[in-house]
Amino acid sequence: MATETLALDKPRSPRRPAARRSNFELYSWLFMRISGLALVVLVLGHLFIMNILDGGVHRINWGFVAGRWSSPFWQTWDLAMLWLAQLHGGNGLRTIIDDYARKDSTRFWLKIVLYVSMVLILFVGTLVIFTFDPDMAGS
């Protein structure tokens, strides 16, 4: 008996190159873990300073905030807390929209609303931190 080998013809359709996949979801997942850890430190530090240290919330007034935001350290602290919280929460909401919005058009418009609101909140929050005028209380 002679052994016969089966040979397959080459496919008629040309081979497509493998689709290039982005690592966006991997970086998004990594960002959530790192920003979550940073937010724990920033928020717990903020709560400790504002609510527990030196008499707690009873000392918080315009003068306290003016004194705090006169320091670049505290401006940076509050700015980092604002930006990380907004991006962390927005990224989580983006994931929820992807998971639960059934139609592509619904998913698109929900993400547009999310991104616009994130940009507005980041813009206004950053503007407030950097343009805060402690002398405004006297006028």
Side-chain angles (χ1 to χ4, degrees):
M1 272 191 1
T3 59
E4 295 181 27
T5 60
L6 293 175
L8 296 176
D9 290 337
K10 292 183 178 180
R12 294 183 184 162
S13 61
R15 279 195 124 165
R16 289 183 293 172
R20 298 191 73 207
R21 295 193 333 185
S22 162
N23 284 331
F24 176 76
E25 290 300 328
L26 171 66
Y27 296 137
S28 173
W29 179 86
L30 192 60
F31 170 76
M32 291 297 276
R33 274 50 186 184
I34 294 169
S35 66
L37 288 173
L39 279 168
V40 165
V41 172
L42 290 170
V43 170
L44 288 179
H46 175 81
L47 290 173
F48 179 74
I49 291 164
M50 300 299 271
N51 296 331
I52 298 171
L53 206 62
D54 291 334
V57 296
H58 301 293
R59 67 185 161 84
I60 299 174
N61 57 19
W62 183 272
F64 177 81
V65 174
R68 182 177 161 107
W69 278 356
S70 66
S71 164
F73 175 80
W74 291 117
Q75 282 182 326
T76 305
W77 183 286
D78 287 348
L79 186 70
M81 197 166 45
L82 168 73
W83 275 78
L84 282 176
Q86 186 65 36
L87 294 174
H88 183 92
N91 190 29
L93 196 52
R94 179 194 60 82
T95 303
I96 291 170
I97 290 170
D98 282 341
D99 287 346
Y100 290 104
R102 295 177 187 251
K103 293 198 289 187
D104 288 339
S105 61
T106 304
R107 190 176 302 115
F108 172 79
W109 287 110
L110 286 173
K111 284 184 180 181
I112 291 295
V113 169
L114 172 65
Y115 297 148
V116 167
S117 66
M118 286 177 63
V119 167
L120 285 173
I121 290 169
L122 287 172
F123 175 75
V124 170
T126 303
L127 189 68
V128 166
I129 290 173
F130 285 123
T131 62
F132 180 78
D133 182 14
D135 295 329
M136 194 169 110
S139 52

